[in-house]
């Protein structure tokens, strides 16, 4: 009797395994560290919103692909007038929102007008600043006229903040997002998980997954056991770089180290003495040992940078050799500046580990050249208030994660307090140039100026550490924008 | 008895009002602008101002306090800045995790602690007592997040008996939901049990030195019966006090355990709300917790009367 039971159990197990071998899995649980405050990408800066919804639930006219390239999305194609000011978009037909209503040119006009309206609280309102008018030519054609030519326009409207929403559901997207993407929103158990399911009415190439659950795991120490126990099968932004070595040895998982658009820098208040002097800033750059910082603050995974550009970007120029680690040179420069006895300053550190860990190392490196830093840990809200808004700081460490954001150095009143008309001119020219080769030259010059001026201490590009089940494929390797595009993700057998 | 009850209630009410003022004032003093936080680094100052207006953050402080406190009186806890849903809904979603978790942990802690306390007190000074109290000392000393991780590696990663974390919701089935609360409940209960066992032991030892215990023994009652019937009941008051405090702690102070097990409980709601400067959520939830603590203390006060008849007849 007992023997029979054993045989039956064994047979059942074989059958169960055999059945799963025939059909690949179609469900997936993805770990994320931060819970989105709400689910409307057009109404908040939190990266966690895009991590769940971008390309999955919401789509824009264009979209940004795995390598940061601009791809058509809801717009099938477009033409640009010779003066670079008029964009005519041809829209896909037969597109439906998840509530069953049809998508057409009116929705595009509504969405873009809403995002750039006076009372709009879109976190990236600047993306739409160049738009003069949005006109509906016919239900499948939209004409957008710009105030001045803007070469990054197609890229800008590919951001999560520029996705197309329906007028009927725009106000309820925060709780119940309704988009046109391949997945539709099913459920949000607050504090716990967000579940998306495949949309049967999707206009484009069908996705492989039937169900994707984003589970919120706030504690880095909990991420490893969650993967090992099989509860979570993918962590595209893995929060615990220290554990990467351990997981790499486990053949059940794939570890992919890619690049983000996060330039991690030692920001310097350029108007505050003695940092208003070039020698002092250059001395800081010479005093920094990037390798030690990368090893200590990102488990050796970051890529060094010499200016404000991701090494994964086409326009990247390698300027890391400009200020090699050289304590003598740094001391010499400080002496030239009349600061041979060193000086005291504060270093304000926001909560992320790259800042808190990196800060300790940088403080000790600068102490070697006589700069005595007092470390002040701050909360994000305090950082935004004191450092970013009021510019009440000497030095701080932060990762600028917005893609292609070298223009922040030309912004008036930005927290670097950096003012260089030559640089501003290059950024202005860049905005009006659409010729690719010329753009690359201008971007190269821009990087060079920032490095020469040692505006900030350029440290390293924040790595994207992706960990997922070895049977999964189709995740992004790099993070040109902070998103988890699931459209190509599937289980292999 | 009625006078005692009324006095307790009056004290509870005054405490609530004072707490509401302190909570509101303290949170307003903390720097950080929720509007700037929501809009991030790319938004202009004008836009932040616009959002501040929309969120009602530009009204005078006193007016906002009155508005909020007035709402509390009619059980309206306001709307979350970040989630833009009523705070009470958020609390309702979280309390179904936190309350059962706290109750299970409390039950576990009691079930472990009282027998251990009895055992130790009965063998006061002997090897059994030393071992039990040594273990309790260890239980107090071991950090609970580390203990939680050890439990996860053992029961979730290695044995795969329970999930490593997360909460599937009661709709997934009572058993499935309970399974995900087992490890966090153990991780929470053990340090509490260690404290409670020590308190039970010392309270018992004190009572065992009383004259009436000697009388009970003298009239021929076995030690066991004396311990259970006479000593334990008289040692209950300090034990109940600690239990009341522990319940309040387990309801709200479980943020570390909730993080390690990524449970959507009240502690995490408050923590998240603090980092996002979702002041209205912090204020309202903290007030709810204050109310809960006061209510528990009230219950503990009343339970003294149940275990000790002298307190009943005093008034």
């Amino acid at each position: 009797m007992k023997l029979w039971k054993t045989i039956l159990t064994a047979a059942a197990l074989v059958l169960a395994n055999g059945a799963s071998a025939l059909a690949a899995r179609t469900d997936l649980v993805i770990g994320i560290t931060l819970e989105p405050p709400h689910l409307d990408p057009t109404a908040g800066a939190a990266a966690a919103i895009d991590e769940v919804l971008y390309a999955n639930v919401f789509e824009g006219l264009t979209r940004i692909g795995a390598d940061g390239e601009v791809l058509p999305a809801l717009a099938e194609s477009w033409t640009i007038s010779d003066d670079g000011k008029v964009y005519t978009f041809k829209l896909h037909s037969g597109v439906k929102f998840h509530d069953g209503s049809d998508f057409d040119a009116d929705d595009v006009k509504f969405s873009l007008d809403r995002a750039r309206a006076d009372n709009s609280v879109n976190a990236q309102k600047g993306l739409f600043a160049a738009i003069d008018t949005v006109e509906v030519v016919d239900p499948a054609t939209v004409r957008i006229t710009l105030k001045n030519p803007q070469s990054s326009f197609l890229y800008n409207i590919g951001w999560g903040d520029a996705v197309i929403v329906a007028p009927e559901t725009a106000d309820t997207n925060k709780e119940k997002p309704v988009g046109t993407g391949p997945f539709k929103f099913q459920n949000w158990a607050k504090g716990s998980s967000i579940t998306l399911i495949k949309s049967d009415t999707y206009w484009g190439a069908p996705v492989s997954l039937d169900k994707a659950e984003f589970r919120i795991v706030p504690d880095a120490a909990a991420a490893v056991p969650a993967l090992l126990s099989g509860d979570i099968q993918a962590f595209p932004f893995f929060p615990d770089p220290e554990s990467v070595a351990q997981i790499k040895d486990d053949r059940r998982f794939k570890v992919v180290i890619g690049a983000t658009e996060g330039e991690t820098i030692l920001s310097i208040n350029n108007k505050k003495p003695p940092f208003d002097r070039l020698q002092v800033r250059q001395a800081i750059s010479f005093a920094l040992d990037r390798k030690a910082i990368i090893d200590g603050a990102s488990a050796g995974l970051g890529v060094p940078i010499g200016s404000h550009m991701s090494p994964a970007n086409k326009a990247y120029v390698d300027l890391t050799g400009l200020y090699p680690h050289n304590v003598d040179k740094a001391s010499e420069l400080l002496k030239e500046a009349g600061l041979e006895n060193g000086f005291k300053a504060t270093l304000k550190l926001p909560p992320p580990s790259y800042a808190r860990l990196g800060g300790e190392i940088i403080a000790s490196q600068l102490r070697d050249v006589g700069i005595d830093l007092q470390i002040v840990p701050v909360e994000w809200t305090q950082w935004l208030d004191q450092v970013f808004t009021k510019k009440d700081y000497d030095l701080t460490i932060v990762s600028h994660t917005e893609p292609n954001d070298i223009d922040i150095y030309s912004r008036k009143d930005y927290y670097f307090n950096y003012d260089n008309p030559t640089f501003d001119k290059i950024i202005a020219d860049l905005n009006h140039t659409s010729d690719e080769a010329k753009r690359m030259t201008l971007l190269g010059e821009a990087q060079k100026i920032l490095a020469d001026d040692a505006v900030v201490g350029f440290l390293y590009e924040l790595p994207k550490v992706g960990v997922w089940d070895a049977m999964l494929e189709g995740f992004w390797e790099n993070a040109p924008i902070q998103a988890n595009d699931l459209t190509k993700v599937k289980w292999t057998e | 008895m009625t006078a005692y009850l009324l006095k307790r209630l009056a004290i509870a009410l005054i405490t609530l009002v004072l707490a509401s003022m302190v909570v509101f004032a303290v949170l307003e003093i903390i720097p950080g602008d929720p509007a700037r936080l929501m809009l991030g680094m790319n938004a202009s100052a004008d836009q932040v101002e616009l959002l501040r207006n929309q969120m009602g953050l530009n009204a005078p402080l006193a007016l906002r306090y009155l508005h909020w406190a007035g709402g509390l009186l009619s059980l309206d806890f306001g709307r979350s800045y970040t989630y833009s849903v009523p705070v009470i809904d958020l609390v309702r979603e979280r309390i179904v995790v936190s309350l059962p978790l706290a109750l299970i942990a409390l039950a576990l802690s009691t079930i472990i602690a009282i027998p251990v306390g009895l055992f130790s007190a009965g063998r006061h000074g002997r090897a059994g007592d030393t071992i039990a109290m040594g273990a309790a000392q260890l239980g107090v000393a071991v950090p609970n997040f580390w203990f939680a991780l050890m439990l996860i590696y053992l029961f979730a990663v290695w044995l795969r008996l329970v999930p490593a974390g997360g909460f599937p919701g009661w709709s997934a089935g009572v058993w499935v939901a309970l399974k995900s609360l087992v490890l966090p409940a153990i991780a929470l209960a053990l340090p509490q049990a260690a404290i409670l066992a020590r308190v039970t032991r010392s309270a018992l030892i004190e009572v065992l030195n009383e004259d009436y215990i000697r009388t009970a023994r003298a009239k021929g009652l076995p030690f066991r019966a004396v311990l259970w019937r006479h000593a334990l009941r008289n040692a209950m008051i300090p034990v109940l006090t600690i239990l009341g405090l522990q319940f309040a702690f387990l309801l709200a102070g479980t943020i570390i355990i909730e993080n390690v097990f990524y449970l959507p409980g009240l502690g995490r709601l408050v923590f998240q709300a603090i980092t996002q400067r979702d002041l209205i959520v912090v204020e309202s939830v903290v007030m709810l917790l204050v109310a809960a603590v006061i209510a528990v203390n009230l219950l503990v006060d009343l339970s003294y009367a149940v275990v000790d008849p002298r307190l009943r007849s005093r008034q």
Side-chain angles (χ1 to χ4, degrees), chain A residues 122 124 218 228 231 388 411, chain B residues 38 41-42 47 160 164 259:
Chain A
N122 191 301
Q124 311 291 349
L228 293 179
D231 287 358
F388 190 74
R411 279 188 207 167
Chain B
M38 279 172 84
M41 287 158 65
N42 258 359
Q47 248 186 297
R160 297 214 172 189
N259 252 341

Side-chain angles (χ1 to χ4, degrees), chain A residues 136-405:
Chain A
V136 174
V137 180
D138 62 57
T141 315
V142 174
R143 183 163 55 223
I144 299 176
T145 310
L146 304 184
K147 291 169 191 154
N148 46 275
Q150 188 188 40
S151 53
S152 57
F153 181 65
L154 288 171
Y155 185 88
N156 290 353
I157 56 169
W159 280 52
D161 306 81
V163 296
I164 305 303
V165 297
E168 301 80 25
T169 49
D171 291 334
T172 52
N173 277 342
K174 280 186 171 181
E175 281 292 297
K176 193 181 177 306
V178 172
T180 57
F183 292 95
K184 60 183 175 187
F185 168 77
Q186 189 188 36
N187 177 47
W188 180 10
K190 292 223 175 65
S192 189
S193 69
I194 297 163
T195 310
L196 310 179
I197 51 168
K198 186 179 187 166
S199 162
D200 296 325
T201 56
Y202 185 54
W203 58 272
V207 288
S208 302
L209 296 174
D210 284 334
K211 185 178 165 192
E213 182 188 333
F214 290 86
R215 203 171 285 172
I216 299 132
V217 182
D219 194 282
V224 179
L227 276 169
L228 293 179
S229 66
D231 287 358
I232 286 169
Q233 296 104 43
F235 244 115
F237 293 93
F238 190 66
D240 190 8
E242 306 290 332
S243 308
V244 162
Q246 176 198 348
I247 298 170
K248 253 185 183 158
D249 290 336
D250 194 328
R251 291 174 59 186
R252 289 173 296 168
F253 301 102
K254 223 184 294 186
V255 177
V256 179
I257 313 286
T260 64
E261 281 287 335
E263 289 80 24
T264 309
I265 57 177
L266 173 71
S267 300
I268 301 176
N269 190 342
N270 277 249
K271 282 223 174 87
K272 186 153 180 187
F275 304 107
D276 53 343
R277 286 144 82 180
L278 181 62
Q279 289 127 314
V280 175
R281 296 197 304 268
Q282 283 177 330
I284 291 176
S285 289
F286 276 117
L288 294 173
D289 177 2
R290 291 195 190 90
K291 177 146 189 340
I293 297 166
I294 292 169
D295 285 347
S298 79
L301 300 172
V303 181
I305 52 171
S307 187
H308 200 90
M309 184 68 70
S310 164
N313 198 302
K314 267 189 305 197
Y316 175 75
V317 180
D318 186 357
L319 294 161
T320 49
L322 198 58
Y323 304 104
H325 178 52
N326 187 337
V327 177
D328 296 337
K329 189 91 180 110
S331 307
E332 210 174 285
L333 280 162
L334 284 179
K335 201 171 172 184
E336 273 175 40
L339 288 162
E340 62 269 33
N341 296 325
F343 62 93
K344 280 190 193 334
T346 60
L347 173 61
K348 289 192 173 167
L349 300 176
S353 64
Y354 66 72
R356 294 273 164 96
L357 295 174
E360 305 269 345
I361 301 168
I362 287 174
S364 98
Q365 289 175 357
L366 294 192
R367 198 172 303 125
D368 290 344
V369 297
I371 304 174
D372 187 12
L373 292 186
Q374 187 206 345
I375 290 180
V376 185
V378 291
E379 286 297 307
W380 264 129
T381 42
Q382 285 172 294
W383 188 88
L384 283 169
D385 187 49
Q386 299 173 8
V387 178
F388 190 74
T389 311
K390 298 196 179 120
K391 302 175 205 62
D392 172 20
Y393 78 108
D394 299 333
L395 301 169
T396 184
I397 300 175
V398 73
S399 197
H400 280 259
T401 54
E402 265 90 12
N404 292 329
D405 58 351

Side-chain angles (χ1 to χ4, degrees), chain B residues 186-218:
Chain B
I186 296 176
L188 281 173
L190 239 55
Q192 305 299 324
I195 297 169
L196 199 59
R198 293 183 69 90
V199 172
T200 311
R201 173 182 172 272
S202 52
L204 275 170
I205 288 173
E206 201 170 306
V207 173
L208 283 173
N209 287 329
E210 298 280 339
D211 290 344
Y212 59 83
I213 298 291
R214 202 180 317 123
T215 314
R217 287 284 282 148

Side-chain angles (χ1 to χ4, degrees), chain B residues 20-97:
Chain B
S20 78
M21 288 176 178
V22 173
V23 167
F24 194 84
V26 165
L27 283 166
E28 294 298 331
I29 291 167
I30 302 177
D33 179 357
R36 169 53 82 181
L37 194 68
M38 279 172 84
L39 290 175
M41 287 158 65
N42 258 359
S44 67
D46 292 350
Q47 248 186 297
V48 174
E49 200 49 34
L50 193 68
L51 187 62
R52 282 184 64 85
N53 276 328
Q54 287 185 11
M55 288 162 71
L57 284 170
N58 281 341
L61 191 66
L63 208 64
R64 278 191 292 141
Y65 172 74
L66 288 178
H67 184 78
W68 171 68
L72 288 185
L73 286 181
S74 53
L75 290 181
D76 170 10
F77 293 88
R79 283 178 89 81
S80 155
Y81 296 153
T82 32
Y83 290 120
S84 41
V85 291
V87 175
I88 194 74
D89 289 356
L90 293 172
V91 172
R92 207 177 288 136
E93 284 165 10
R94 304 301 177 102
I95 200 106
V96 299
V97 182

Side-chain angles (χ1 to χ4, degrees), chain A residues 233 250-255 467-473 490-493:
Chain A
Q233 296 104 43
D250 194 328
R251 291 174 59 186
R252 289 173 296 168
F253 301 102
K254 223 184 294 186
V255 177
V467 179
W468 48 80
D469 193 299
M471 304 286 243
L472 280 165
E473 61 179 40
K490 64 175 182 199
W491 287 94
T492 58
E493 282 299 336

Side-chain angles (χ1 to χ4, degrees), chain B residues 250-266:
Chain B
L250 287 172
L251 198 60
T254 59
I255 166 75
I256 294 172
I257 291 296
E258 281 177 10
N259 252 341
V260 173
F261 289 97
Y262 41 105
L263 293 172
L266 273 180

